[in-house]
Amino acid sequence: MRRGYLHVTRFPVQRKVIESPELSGQPLVLVEEVRGQRRVAFASTRALKAGVRPGMTLTAATALEPGLRHFPYRPKDEAQALASLGESLLGLCPGFQCDAPEGLWFDASAAHLVGGEPELGARVLEVCGEQGYRAHVTVASEAFTSRVLARHGSRRVEVVEAGQGARALAPLPLSALEDGSAKAFWVLGLSTLGEVAALPAGAVTARGGASAARAHARCRGVDDTPFTPDPLEEVLEDRVVLDAPADTFEPVQFALKTLLDRLGARLSGRQRAAVRLTFVLRLDPTGEAQVPLLLARPTARAKLLLDLARHRLGELRLERPVAEVAVRVDAHDEDLGQQLALGDAPEGDAALEGVLSRLATTLGEEALFAASLEPVHRPEAAHTPKAFHPPEARRGLLSPSGPLAPEGHGPGAPVTVWRETGAARERPSRLLARPARLDAEVAASGEMLAARLAGRRHRVTAMAGPERLGGEWWTDTPYQRDYYRVHFEGLGPAWVYRDGRDGDYYLQGLFD
Protein backbone atom coordinates (compact mmCIF):
# COMPACT_ATOMS: atom_id res chain seq x y z
CA MET A 1 0.00 0.00 0.00
CA ARG A 2 1.22 3.48 -0.84
CA ARG A 3 0.88 5.93 2.01
CA GLY A 4 1.98 9.50 2.59
CA TYR A 5 3.13 11.23 5.73
CA LEU A 6 2.42 14.88 6.44
CA HIS A 7 4.82 16.43 8.94
CA VAL A 8 3.88 19.86 10.29
CA THR A 9 7.00 21.04 12.09
CA ARG A 10 6.14 21.99 15.69
CA PHE A 11 2.46 21.81 14.88
CA PRO A 12 1.25 23.15 18.26
CA VAL A 13 3.45 26.24 17.92
CA GLN A 14 2.30 26.91 14.37
CA ARG A 15 -1.30 26.53 15.48
CA LYS A 16 -0.77 29.00 18.32
CA VAL A 17 0.67 31.60 15.94
CA ILE A 18 -2.21 31.09 13.51
CA GLU A 19 -4.69 31.70 16.33
CA SER A 20 -2.74 34.75 17.59
CA PRO A 21 -0.92 36.38 14.64
CA GLU A 22 0.75 38.95 16.93
CA LEU A 23 2.96 36.09 18.21
CA SER A 24 4.63 35.65 14.81
CA GLY A 25 8.42 35.89 15.18
CA GLN A 26 8.22 36.11 18.98
CA PRO A 27 9.93 33.78 21.48
CA LEU A 28 7.24 31.53 22.93
CA VAL A 29 6.88 28.09 24.45
CA LEU A 30 4.05 25.72 25.25
CA VAL A 31 4.42 24.25 28.73
CA GLU A 32 2.93 21.25 30.52
CA GLU A 33 2.94 19.98 34.09
CA VAL A 34 5.47 17.19 34.68
CA ARG A 35 5.75 15.94 38.27
CA GLY A 36 4.74 19.26 39.68
CA GLN A 37 7.06 21.29 37.43
CA ARG A 38 6.20 23.33 34.37
CA ARG A 39 8.38 22.12 31.54
CA VAL A 40 8.70 23.15 27.90
CA ALA A 41 6.81 20.88 25.51
CA PHE A 42 7.33 22.92 22.31
CA ALA A 43 9.29 26.06 21.52
CA SER A 44 9.21 28.57 18.65
CA THR A 45 12.16 29.07 16.31
CA ARG A 46 13.31 32.23 18.09
CA ALA A 47 13.15 30.51 21.47
CA LEU A 48 15.18 27.58 20.11
CA LYS A 49 17.82 30.00 18.83
CA ALA A 50 18.06 31.41 22.36
CA GLY A 51 18.91 27.93 23.67
CA VAL A 52 15.46 26.87 24.90
CA ARG A 53 14.89 23.14 24.51
CA PRO A 54 11.89 20.82 25.06
CA GLY A 55 12.03 19.22 28.52
CA MET A 56 13.62 22.29 30.07
CA THR A 57 11.88 23.88 33.04
CA LEU A 58 10.05 27.12 32.39
CA THR A 59 12.29 28.87 34.93
CA ALA A 60 15.45 27.83 33.07
CA ALA A 61 13.92 28.76 29.70
CA THR A 62 12.96 32.22 30.96
CA ALA A 63 16.50 32.75 32.25
CA LEU A 64 17.80 32.17 28.71
CA GLU A 65 15.17 34.42 27.09
CA PRO A 66 13.70 37.03 29.51
CA GLY A 67 11.04 38.05 26.96
CA LEU A 68 9.78 34.51 26.59
CA ARG A 69 6.00 34.12 26.46
CA HIS A 70 4.46 30.88 27.64
CA PHE A 71 1.10 29.20 27.11
CA PRO A 72 -0.41 25.91 28.32
CA TYR A 73 0.03 22.84 26.15
CA ARG A 74 -3.23 20.88 25.91
CA PRO A 75 -2.64 17.53 24.13
CA LYS A 76 -6.37 16.90 23.68
CA ASP A 77 -6.86 20.20 21.85
CA GLU A 78 -3.80 19.59 19.68
CA ALA A 79 -5.04 16.11 18.76
CA GLN A 80 -8.43 17.54 17.80
CA ALA A 81 -6.80 20.21 15.64
CA LEU A 82 -4.60 17.61 13.95
CA ALA A 83 -7.64 15.44 13.21
CA SER A 84 -9.36 18.50 11.73
CA LEU A 85 -6.38 18.98 9.43
CA GLY A 86 -6.67 15.33 8.39
CA GLU A 87 -10.36 15.76 7.56
CA SER A 88 -9.52 18.68 5.31
CA LEU A 89 -7.45 16.26 3.18
CA LEU A 90 -10.33 13.87 2.52
CA GLY A 91 -10.99 15.53 -0.83
CA LEU A 92 -7.56 14.20 -1.90
CA CYS A 93 -7.25 10.89 -0.05
CA PRO A 94 -9.66 8.20 1.17
CA GLY A 95 -8.49 8.26 4.80
CA PHE A 96 -5.91 9.46 7.31
CA GLN A 97 -4.27 8.23 10.54
CA CYS A 98 -3.11 10.79 13.08
CA ASP A 99 0.40 10.58 14.54
CA ALA A 100 0.16 13.21 17.27
CA PRO A 101 1.42 15.74 17.93
CA GLU A 102 3.10 16.77 14.66
CA GLY A 103 1.98 14.58 11.79
CA LEU A 104 -0.35 12.11 10.16
CA TRP A 105 -0.35 9.37 7.55
CA PHE A 106 -2.75 9.48 4.62
CA ASP A 107 -3.81 6.92 2.04
CA ALA A 108 -2.06 7.78 -1.24
CA SER A 109 -3.77 5.09 -3.32
CA ALA A 110 -5.87 7.67 -5.21
CA ALA A 111 -2.86 9.74 -6.33
CA HIS A 112 -3.52 8.92 -10.00
CA LEU A 113 -6.73 10.97 -9.80
CA VAL A 114 -4.75 14.19 -9.25
CA GLY A 115 -1.88 13.50 -11.65
CA GLY A 116 0.44 11.26 -9.62
CA GLU A 117 2.12 11.11 -6.23
CA PRO A 118 4.26 14.28 -6.60
CA GLU A 119 1.15 16.24 -7.52
CA LEU A 120 -0.73 14.71 -4.59
CA GLY A 121 2.01 15.82 -2.21
CA ALA A 122 1.90 19.33 -3.65
CA ARG A 123 -1.88 19.46 -3.31
CA VAL A 124 -1.66 18.31 0.32
CA LEU A 125 0.80 21.12 1.06
CA GLU A 126 -1.52 23.53 -0.71
CA VAL A 127 -4.41 22.56 1.58
CA CYS A 128 -2.14 23.02 4.60
CA GLY A 129 -0.96 26.38 3.31
CA GLU A 130 -4.54 27.61 2.98
CA GLN A 131 -4.87 27.04 6.73
CA GLY A 132 -1.53 28.71 7.47
CA TYR A 133 0.64 25.62 8.11
CA ARG A 134 4.14 24.92 6.76
CA ALA A 135 4.82 21.23 6.28
CA HIS A 136 6.68 18.42 4.47
CA VAL A 137 5.22 15.39 2.69
CA THR A 138 6.74 12.02 1.80
CA VAL A 139 5.00 9.22 -0.10
CA ALA A 140 6.37 5.69 0.26
CA SER A 141 5.29 2.08 0.65
CA GLU A 142 6.28 1.79 4.33
CA ALA A 143 4.96 3.76 7.30
CA PHE A 144 8.45 4.18 8.81
CA THR A 145 10.04 5.34 5.56
CA SER A 146 7.40 7.96 4.86
CA ARG A 147 7.44 9.29 8.45
CA VAL A 148 11.21 9.50 8.90
CA LEU A 149 11.87 11.14 5.52
CA ALA A 150 9.12 13.70 6.07
CA ARG A 151 10.54 14.57 9.51
CA HIS A 152 14.26 14.49 8.71
CA GLY A 153 14.49 14.88 4.94
CA SER A 154 15.27 18.15 3.18
CA ARG A 155 12.61 18.14 0.42
CA ARG A 156 9.15 19.63 0.82
CA VAL A 157 7.70 16.81 -1.30
CA GLU A 158 9.47 13.50 -1.72
CA VAL A 159 8.32 10.29 -3.42
CA VAL A 160 10.07 6.99 -2.70
CA GLU A 161 9.44 4.28 -5.27
CA ALA A 162 8.43 0.82 -4.09
CA GLY A 163 11.48 -1.20 -3.00
CA GLN A 164 13.71 1.88 -2.68
CA GLY A 165 13.07 2.59 1.00
CA ALA A 166 16.52 1.45 2.22
CA ARG A 167 18.33 3.59 -0.36
CA ALA A 168 16.25 6.70 0.56
CA LEU A 169 16.83 6.17 4.31
CA ALA A 170 20.56 5.45 4.11
CA PRO A 171 21.89 9.07 4.37
CA LEU A 172 19.71 9.98 7.39
CA PRO A 173 21.37 10.33 10.82
CA LEU A 174 20.89 7.70 13.51
CA SER A 175 18.84 10.18 15.55
CA ALA A 176 16.04 9.65 13.02
CA LEU A 177 15.13 6.42 14.82
CA GLU A 178 13.67 8.60 17.63
CA ASP A 179 13.32 5.76 20.12
CA GLY A 180 15.40 3.76 22.55
CA SER A 181 16.57 1.36 19.84
CA ALA A 182 19.11 3.93 18.65
CA LYS A 183 21.22 3.39 21.79
CA ALA A 184 22.14 -0.13 20.71
CA PHE A 185 23.75 1.30 17.57
CA TRP A 186 25.33 4.42 19.12
CA VAL A 187 27.71 2.24 21.16
CA LEU A 188 28.89 0.59 17.94
CA GLY A 189 29.96 3.96 16.56
CA LEU A 190 27.33 4.02 13.82
CA SER A 191 25.98 7.37 12.63
CA THR A 192 23.55 6.74 9.74
CA LEU A 193 20.60 4.47 9.01
CA GLY A 194 22.48 3.06 6.04
CA GLU A 195 25.21 1.76 8.32
CA VAL A 196 22.56 0.13 10.51
CA ALA A 197 20.96 -1.53 7.48
CA ALA A 198 24.34 -3.04 6.47
CA LEU A 199 24.67 -5.01 9.74
CA PRO A 200 23.90 -8.77 9.77
CA ALA A 201 20.35 -9.35 11.02
CA GLY A 202 21.35 -12.23 13.32
CA ALA A 203 24.05 -10.22 15.06
CA VAL A 204 21.66 -7.30 15.63
CA THR A 205 19.02 -9.56 17.16
CA ALA A 206 21.54 -11.28 19.42
CA ARG A 207 22.95 -8.00 20.71
CA GLY A 208 19.90 -5.72 20.91
CA GLY A 209 16.89 -7.98 21.08
CA ALA A 210 13.50 -7.54 19.42
CA SER A 211 13.49 -3.72 19.42
CA ALA A 212 16.89 -3.53 17.71
CA ALA A 213 15.82 -6.15 15.17
CA ARG A 214 12.70 -4.16 14.39
CA ALA A 215 14.72 -0.96 13.91
CA HIS A 216 17.21 -2.83 11.70
CA ALA A 217 14.40 -4.15 9.48
CA ARG A 218 12.88 -0.70 9.09
CA CYS A 219 16.25 0.75 8.07
CA ARG A 220 16.32 -1.91 5.33
CA GLY A 221 12.90 -0.73 4.09
CA VAL A 222 10.92 -3.58 5.69
CA ASP A 223 7.90 -2.44 7.68
CA ASP A 224 4.56 -4.21 8.05
CA THR A 225 2.89 -1.55 10.22
CA PRO A 226 -0.78 -1.52 9.15
CA PHE A 227 -2.62 1.61 8.08
CA THR A 228 -5.67 2.12 10.30
CA PRO A 229 -7.75 5.14 9.23
CA ASP A 230 -9.12 7.28 12.02
CA PRO A 231 -12.92 7.21 12.28
CA LEU A 232 -14.73 10.44 11.49
CA GLU A 233 -16.78 12.13 14.17
CA GLU A 234 -20.47 12.07 13.40
CA VAL A 235 -21.00 15.55 14.85
CA LEU A 236 -18.85 18.30 13.39
CA GLU A 237 -17.77 20.35 16.37
CA ASP A 238 -14.69 22.35 17.28
CA ARG A 239 -13.59 24.71 20.03
CA VAL A 240 -10.84 27.14 21.03
CA VAL A 241 -9.92 27.92 24.64
CA LEU A 242 -8.87 31.56 25.01
CA ASP A 243 -5.58 32.34 26.74
CA ALA A 244 -7.45 34.62 29.13
CA PRO A 245 -11.17 35.38 29.57
CA ALA A 246 -12.15 38.07 27.06
CA ASP A 247 -14.22 41.14 27.90
CA THR A 248 -14.08 42.47 24.32
CA PHE A 249 -15.03 40.98 20.97
CA GLU A 250 -11.55 41.12 19.37
CA PRO A 251 -10.10 37.94 21.02
CA VAL A 252 -13.38 36.14 20.31
CA GLN A 253 -13.14 37.23 16.68
CA PHE A 254 -9.66 35.71 16.31
CA ALA A 255 -10.95 32.47 17.81
CA LEU A 256 -13.93 32.48 15.43
CA LYS A 257 -11.67 32.86 12.41
CA THR A 258 -9.55 29.90 13.54
CA LEU A 259 -12.61 27.77 14.19
CA LEU A 260 -14.41 28.58 10.96
CA ASP A 261 -11.30 28.20 8.79
CA ARG A 262 -10.88 24.76 10.29
CA LEU A 263 -14.57 23.93 10.04
CA GLY A 264 -14.76 25.06 6.40
CA ALA A 265 -11.80 22.84 5.52
CA ARG A 266 -13.39 19.87 7.31
CA LEU A 267 -16.68 20.39 5.49
CA SER A 268 -14.91 20.68 2.13
CA GLY A 269 -12.95 17.51 2.82
CA ARG A 270 -16.19 15.63 3.51
CA GLN A 271 -17.92 17.23 0.49
CA ARG A 272 -20.53 18.69 2.82
CA ALA A 273 -21.96 22.17 3.31
CA ALA A 274 -23.29 23.63 6.55
CA VAL A 275 -26.99 24.50 6.83
CA ARG A 276 -27.37 25.36 10.49
CA LEU A 277 -24.68 26.21 13.07
CA THR A 278 -24.68 26.89 16.78
CA PHE A 279 -22.01 29.03 18.43
CA VAL A 280 -21.39 28.29 22.10
CA LEU A 281 -19.64 30.89 24.25
CA ARG A 282 -18.58 29.41 27.57
CA LEU A 283 -18.27 32.10 30.21
CA ASP A 284 -15.93 32.61 33.14
CA PRO A 285 -16.38 31.26 35.76
CA THR A 286 -19.66 29.55 34.84
CA GLY A 287 -22.46 29.75 32.30
CA GLU A 288 -22.69 29.75 28.54
CA ALA A 289 -24.51 31.48 25.69
CA GLN A 290 -25.73 29.60 22.62
CA VAL A 291 -26.30 31.55 19.41
CA PRO A 292 -27.88 29.75 16.39
CA LEU A 293 -27.11 30.65 12.78
CA LEU A 294 -29.30 29.56 9.86
CA LEU A 295 -27.80 29.79 6.38
CA ALA A 296 -29.81 30.84 3.35
CA ARG A 297 -27.96 28.31 1.22
CA PRO A 298 -25.71 25.42 2.31
CA THR A 299 -22.09 26.54 2.25
CA ALA A 300 -18.61 25.51 3.38
CA ARG A 301 -17.00 28.91 2.71
CA ALA A 302 -15.18 30.03 5.83
CA LYS A 303 -15.21 33.72 4.83
CA LEU A 304 -18.99 33.84 4.52
CA LEU A 305 -19.42 31.93 7.78
CA LEU A 306 -17.08 34.36 9.54
CA ASP A 307 -18.94 37.42 8.22
CA LEU A 308 -22.24 36.01 9.45
CA ALA A 309 -20.72 35.05 12.80
CA ARG A 310 -19.41 38.58 13.27
CA HIS A 311 -22.85 39.96 12.52
CA ARG A 312 -24.52 37.60 14.99
CA LEU A 313 -22.02 37.85 17.83
CA GLY A 314 -20.51 41.32 17.38
CA GLU A 315 -23.28 43.12 19.26
CA LEU A 316 -23.98 40.38 21.79
CA ARG A 317 -24.06 41.59 25.39
CA LEU A 318 -22.83 39.09 27.97
CA GLU A 319 -22.73 39.35 31.74
CA ARG A 320 -19.37 37.55 32.11
CA PRO A 321 -16.11 37.28 30.13
CA VAL A 322 -15.78 34.60 27.43
CA ALA A 323 -13.37 31.78 28.29
CA GLU A 324 -13.99 29.40 25.37
CA VAL A 325 -15.55 29.60 21.90
CA ALA A 326 -17.08 26.54 20.25
CA VAL A 327 -19.04 25.95 17.05
CA ARG A 328 -21.24 22.97 16.19
CA VAL A 329 -22.78 22.01 12.84
CA ASP A 330 -26.37 21.04 13.67
CA ALA A 331 -27.38 20.32 10.06
CA HIS A 332 -25.41 19.87 6.86
CA ASP A 333 -26.11 18.84 3.30
CA GLU A 334 -24.27 17.58 0.25
CA ASP A 335 -22.04 20.29 -1.19
CA LEU A 336 -23.37 20.61 -4.74
CA GLY A 337 -21.06 23.50 -5.58
CA GLN A 338 -22.07 26.30 -7.90
CA GLN A 339 -21.91 26.34 -11.70
CA LEU A 340 -21.07 29.82 -12.96
CA ALA A 341 -21.88 31.08 -16.44
CA LEU A 342 -20.20 33.88 -18.37
CA GLY A 343 -21.25 37.18 -16.89
CA ASP A 344 -22.15 35.78 -13.46
CA ALA A 345 -21.01 37.82 -10.48
CA PRO A 346 -20.14 35.48 -7.57
CA GLU A 347 -19.50 38.50 -5.34
CA GLY A 348 -23.13 39.51 -5.71
CA ASP A 349 -24.31 35.97 -4.93
CA ALA A 350 -22.16 35.90 -1.80
CA ALA A 351 -23.55 39.26 -0.66
CA LEU A 352 -27.11 38.05 -1.27
CA GLU A 353 -26.44 34.86 0.71
CA GLY A 354 -25.20 36.97 3.59
CA VAL A 355 -28.28 39.18 3.57
CA LEU A 356 -30.68 36.24 3.38
CA SER A 357 -28.89 34.39 6.16
CA ARG A 358 -29.05 37.45 8.40
CA LEU A 359 -32.76 37.86 7.71
CA ALA A 360 -33.49 34.21 8.44
CA THR A 361 -31.44 34.26 11.64
CA THR A 362 -32.81 37.59 12.89
CA LEU A 363 -36.48 37.24 11.91
CA GLY A 364 -36.79 33.49 12.28
CA GLU A 365 -36.53 30.45 10.05
CA GLU A 366 -40.05 30.87 8.66
CA ALA A 367 -39.29 34.39 7.41
CA LEU A 368 -37.28 33.10 4.43
CA PHE A 369 -39.34 31.59 1.62
CA ALA A 370 -38.66 29.60 -1.51
CA ALA A 371 -40.84 28.46 -4.39
CA SER A 372 -42.31 24.97 -4.34
CA LEU A 373 -43.43 23.40 -7.61
CA GLU A 374 -46.95 21.99 -7.63
CA PRO A 375 -48.39 19.39 -10.08
CA VAL A 376 -50.96 21.89 -11.41
CA HIS A 377 -51.38 22.97 -15.03
CA ARG A 378 -52.91 26.35 -14.20
CA PRO A 379 -49.82 28.64 -14.33
CA GLU A 380 -50.66 30.92 -11.37
CA ALA A 381 -51.02 27.85 -9.13
CA ALA A 382 -47.99 25.96 -10.44
CA HIS A 383 -45.82 27.15 -7.55
CA THR A 384 -46.51 28.13 -3.97
CA PRO A 385 -44.31 29.80 -1.35
CA LYS A 386 -42.82 27.62 1.36
CA ALA A 387 -40.32 28.09 4.16
CA PHE A 388 -36.75 27.66 2.92
CA HIS A 389 -35.06 24.34 3.60
CA PRO A 390 -32.02 22.89 1.81
CA PRO A 391 -32.64 20.01 -0.62
CA GLU A 392 -32.84 16.62 1.07
CA ALA A 393 -32.50 14.40 -2.01
CA ARG A 394 -29.03 13.07 -2.78
CA ARG A 395 -27.59 12.69 -6.23
CA GLY A 396 -26.96 9.25 -7.70
CA LEU A 397 -28.62 6.48 -9.67
CA LEU A 398 -30.59 5.21 -6.69
CA SER A 399 -31.35 8.57 -5.09
CA PRO A 400 -34.98 9.73 -4.88
CA SER A 401 -34.37 11.94 -7.91
CA GLY A 402 -32.17 9.50 -9.80
CA PRO A 403 -33.02 7.77 -13.08
CA LEU A 404 -33.38 4.38 -11.38
CA ALA A 405 -35.67 5.59 -8.59
CA PRO A 406 -39.12 3.97 -8.46
CA GLU A 407 -41.92 5.89 -10.09
CA GLY A 408 -43.77 8.21 -7.74
CA HIS A 409 -41.10 7.76 -5.08
CA GLY A 410 -42.24 10.12 -2.29
CA PRO A 411 -41.81 13.87 -2.43
CA GLY A 412 -38.48 13.55 -4.20
CA ALA A 413 -40.01 12.16 -7.42
CA PRO A 414 -38.80 14.05 -10.48
CA VAL A 415 -41.05 16.80 -11.83
CA THR A 416 -40.94 17.74 -15.52
CA VAL A 417 -41.07 21.46 -16.22
CA TRP A 418 -41.58 22.56 -19.82
CA ARG A 419 -39.78 25.80 -20.66
CA GLU A 420 -40.52 27.95 -23.70
CA THR A 421 -38.61 30.93 -24.93
CA GLY A 422 -40.05 34.43 -25.06
CA ALA A 423 -40.93 37.07 -22.51
CA ALA A 424 -44.57 36.01 -22.45
CA ARG A 425 -43.62 32.67 -20.86
CA GLU A 426 -41.94 34.29 -17.85
CA ARG A 427 -43.65 33.96 -14.50
CA PRO A 428 -43.92 36.78 -11.94
CA SER A 429 -42.41 36.60 -8.47
CA ARG A 430 -45.47 38.23 -6.85
CA LEU A 431 -49.00 36.95 -7.43
CA LEU A 432 -52.17 38.68 -6.31
CA ALA A 433 -54.36 36.74 -3.91
CA ARG A 434 -57.29 37.38 -6.28
CA PRO A 435 -56.96 38.56 -9.90
CA ALA A 436 -57.94 42.24 -10.30
CA ARG A 437 -60.26 43.08 -13.20
CA LEU A 438 -58.88 45.76 -15.53
CA ASP A 439 -60.95 48.35 -17.35
CA ALA A 440 -58.96 48.00 -20.56
CA GLU A 441 -58.82 50.31 -23.60
CA VAL A 442 -58.34 48.09 -26.64
CA ALA A 443 -57.49 49.14 -30.20
CA ALA A 444 -59.35 47.80 -33.23
CA SER A 445 -56.46 45.37 -33.78
CA GLY A 446 -57.10 43.90 -30.33
CA GLU A 447 -53.96 45.41 -28.78
CA MET A 448 -54.31 46.89 -25.29
CA LEU A 449 -53.59 50.63 -25.19
CA ALA A 450 -54.26 51.42 -21.52
CA ALA A 451 -56.05 50.11 -18.46
CA ARG A 452 -57.64 51.55 -15.35
CA LEU A 453 -56.81 50.01 -12.01
CA ALA A 454 -58.25 51.36 -8.72
CA GLY A 455 -59.56 54.38 -10.61
CA ARG A 456 -56.21 55.32 -12.13
CA ARG A 457 -55.32 55.11 -15.83
CA HIS A 458 -52.05 53.42 -16.79
CA ARG A 459 -50.78 53.62 -20.36
CA VAL A 460 -49.33 50.47 -21.95
CA THR A 461 -45.72 51.00 -23.11
CA ALA A 462 -44.91 47.38 -24.09
CA MET A 463 -46.79 44.13 -24.47
CA ALA A 464 -45.66 40.55 -25.19
CA GLY A 465 -47.88 37.54 -25.82
CA PRO A 466 -50.22 35.86 -25.98
CA GLU A 467 -49.45 32.58 -24.25
CA ARG A 468 -52.68 30.65 -24.78
CA LEU A 469 -53.47 28.13 -22.06
CA GLY A 470 -56.53 26.14 -21.19
CA GLY A 471 -57.42 23.11 -19.16
CA GLU A 472 -59.02 21.61 -16.08
CA TRP A 473 -62.15 20.92 -18.15
CA TRP A 474 -62.78 17.92 -15.93
CA THR A 475 -63.27 20.17 -12.86
CA ASP A 476 -65.89 22.72 -11.84
CA THR A 477 -63.52 25.57 -12.73
CA PRO A 478 -62.20 25.07 -16.29
CA TYR A 479 -60.27 27.93 -17.86
CA GLN A 480 -59.32 29.25 -21.29
CA ARG A 481 -56.97 32.24 -21.18
CA ASP A 482 -54.46 34.31 -23.11
CA TYR A 483 -51.57 35.42 -20.86
CA TYR A 484 -49.54 38.57 -21.59
CA ARG A 485 -46.58 40.35 -20.12
CA VAL A 486 -47.58 44.01 -20.13
CA HIS A 487 -45.53 47.03 -19.07
CA PHE A 488 -47.77 49.73 -17.60
CA GLU A 489 -46.65 53.31 -17.20
CA GLY A 490 -46.39 54.04 -13.46
CA LEU A 491 -46.90 50.38 -12.52
CA GLY A 492 -44.09 48.46 -14.20
CA PRO A 493 -44.12 44.98 -15.77
CA ALA A 494 -47.20 42.94 -14.96
CA TRP A 495 -48.73 39.57 -15.76
CA VAL A 496 -52.14 39.94 -17.35
CA TYR A 497 -54.54 37.45 -18.82
CA ARG A 498 -57.67 37.75 -20.96
CA ASP A 499 -60.41 35.38 -19.88
CA GLY A 500 -61.94 33.43 -22.77
CA ARG A 501 -65.33 33.26 -21.04
CA ASP A 502 -66.08 37.00 -20.65
CA GLY A 503 -63.33 38.58 -22.79
CA ASP A 504 -62.14 40.83 -19.92
CA TYR A 505 -58.55 41.48 -18.86
CA TYR A 506 -57.32 40.65 -15.36
CA LEU A 507 -54.13 41.55 -13.47
CA GLN A 508 -52.64 38.32 -12.08
CA GLY A 509 -49.22 39.38 -10.75
CA LEU A 510 -46.26 41.77 -10.88
CA PHE A 511 -42.65 41.24 -11.91
CA ASP A 512 -39.83 42.55 -9.73
Side-chain angles (χ1 to χ4, degrees), residues 82 104 108 129 132 140 168 259 288 297 318 415 421 429 505:
L82 188 62
L104 56 85
L259 281 174
E288 68 176 28
R297 183 164 62 184
L318 301 173
V415 177
T421 58
S429 54
Y505 287 89

Short mmCIF file of all heavy atoms in Angstrom, two decimals, residues 82 104 108 129 132 140 168 259 288 297 318 415 421 429 505:
data_model
loop_
_atom_site.label_atom_id
_atom_site.label_comp_id
_atom_site.label_asym_id
_atom_site.label_seq_id
_atom_site.Cartn_x
_atom_site.Cartn_y
_atom_site.Cartn_z
N LEU A 82 -5.28 18.44 14.94
CA LEU A 82 -4.60 17.61 13.95
C LEU A 82 -5.60 16.75 13.18
O LEU A 82 -5.49 16.57 11.96
CB LEU A 82 -3.56 16.73 14.65
CG LEU A 82 -2.61 15.93 13.74
CD1 LEU A 82 -1.77 16.87 12.90
CD2 LEU A 82 -1.72 15.02 14.59
N LEU A 104 0.67 13.12 10.43
CA LEU A 104 -0.35 12.11 10.16
C LEU A 104 -0.01 11.39 8.86
O LEU A 104 0.64 11.94 7.97
CB LEU A 104 -1.74 12.75 10.07
CG LEU A 104 -1.99 13.89 9.07
CD1 LEU A 104 -2.34 13.36 7.68
CD2 LEU A 104 -3.10 14.79 9.57
N ALA A 108 -2.45 7.17 0.04
CA ALA A 108 -2.06 7.78 -1.24
C ALA A 108 -2.48 6.94 -2.43
O ALA A 108 -1.99 7.15 -3.56
CB ALA A 108 -0.55 8.00 -1.28
N GLY A 129 -1.30 24.97 3.43
CA GLY A 129 -0.96 26.38 3.31
C GLY A 129 -2.18 27.28 3.40
O GLY A 129 -2.10 28.40 3.93
N GLY A 132 -2.63 28.01 6.81
CA GLY A 132 -1.53 28.71 7.47
C GLY A 132 -0.39 27.84 7.94
O GLY A 132 0.54 28.33 8.58
N ALA A 140 5.56 6.90 0.36
CA ALA A 140 6.37 5.69 0.26
C ALA A 140 5.47 4.48 0.48
O ALA A 140 4.27 4.61 0.70
CB ALA A 140 7.50 5.72 1.28
N ALA A 168 16.66 5.34 0.18
CA ALA A 168 16.25 6.70 0.56
C ALA A 168 16.60 6.99 2.01
O ALA A 168 16.93 8.13 2.37
CB ALA A 168 14.75 6.86 0.33
N LEU A 259 -11.62 28.84 14.19
CA LEU A 259 -12.61 27.77 14.19
C LEU A 259 -13.26 27.58 12.83
O LEU A 259 -13.39 26.46 12.33
CB LEU A 259 -13.69 28.08 15.23
CG LEU A 259 -13.36 27.79 16.70
CD1 LEU A 259 -14.47 28.29 17.59
CD2 LEU A 259 -13.14 26.31 16.91
N GLU A 288 -22.97 29.76 29.96
CA GLU A 288 -22.69 29.75 28.54
C GLU A 288 -23.82 30.44 27.78
O GLU A 288 -24.94 30.58 28.29
CB GLU A 288 -22.50 28.33 28.00
CG GLU A 288 -23.74 27.47 28.00
CD GLU A 288 -23.51 26.10 27.38
OE1 GLU A 288 -22.37 25.61 27.42
OE2 GLU A 288 -24.47 25.54 26.82
N ARG A 297 -28.30 29.38 2.15
CA ARG A 297 -27.96 28.31 1.22
C ARG A 297 -26.80 27.52 1.82
O ARG A 297 -25.89 28.11 2.41
CB ARG A 297 -27.55 28.89 -0.15
CG ARG A 297 -27.24 27.83 -1.18
CD ARG A 297 -27.23 28.38 -2.59
NE ARG A 297 -26.21 29.38 -2.79
CZ ARG A 297 -26.05 30.07 -3.93
NH1 ARG A 297 -26.88 29.84 -4.93
NH2 ARG A 297 -25.11 30.97 -4.04
N LEU A 318 -22.94 40.18 27.03
CA LEU A 318 -22.83 39.09 27.97
C LEU A 318 -22.49 39.63 29.36
O LEU A 318 -21.82 40.65 29.49
CB LEU A 318 -21.73 38.10 27.52
CG LEU A 318 -21.94 37.46 26.14
CD1 LEU A 318 -20.72 36.65 25.75
CD2 LEU A 318 -23.18 36.58 26.13
N VAL A 415 -39.96 16.01 -11.25
CA VAL A 415 -41.05 16.80 -11.83
C VAL A 415 -40.56 17.38 -13.14
O VAL A 415 -39.50 17.98 -13.21
CB VAL A 415 -41.48 17.93 -10.86
CG1 VAL A 415 -42.55 18.77 -11.50
CG2 VAL A 415 -41.97 17.34 -9.55
N THR A 421 -39.29 29.65 -24.83
CA THR A 421 -38.61 30.93 -24.93
C THR A 421 -39.62 32.04 -25.13
O THR A 421 -40.75 31.82 -25.54
CB THR A 421 -37.63 30.92 -26.12
OG1 THR A 421 -38.35 30.63 -27.32
CG2 THR A 421 -36.55 29.85 -25.91
N SER A 429 -42.79 37.02 -9.82
CA SER A 429 -42.41 36.60 -8.47
C SER A 429 -43.50 36.93 -7.46
O SER A 429 -43.52 36.36 -6.37
CB SER A 429 -41.10 37.29 -8.06
OG SER A 429 -41.22 38.70 -8.21
N TYR A 505 -59.95 41.60 -19.27
CA TYR A 505 -58.55 41.48 -18.86
C TYR A 505 -58.46 41.51 -17.33
O TYR A 505 -59.18 42.27 -16.66
CB TYR A 505 -57.72 42.62 -19.45
CG TYR A 505 -57.45 42.49 -20.93
CD1 TYR A 505 -58.33 43.01 -21.87
CD2 TYR A 505 -56.30 41.84 -21.39
CE1 TYR A 505 -58.09 42.89 -23.23
CE2 TYR A 505 -56.05 41.71 -22.76
CZ TYR A 505 -56.94 42.24 -23.66
OH TYR A 505 -56.68 42.13 -25.01
#
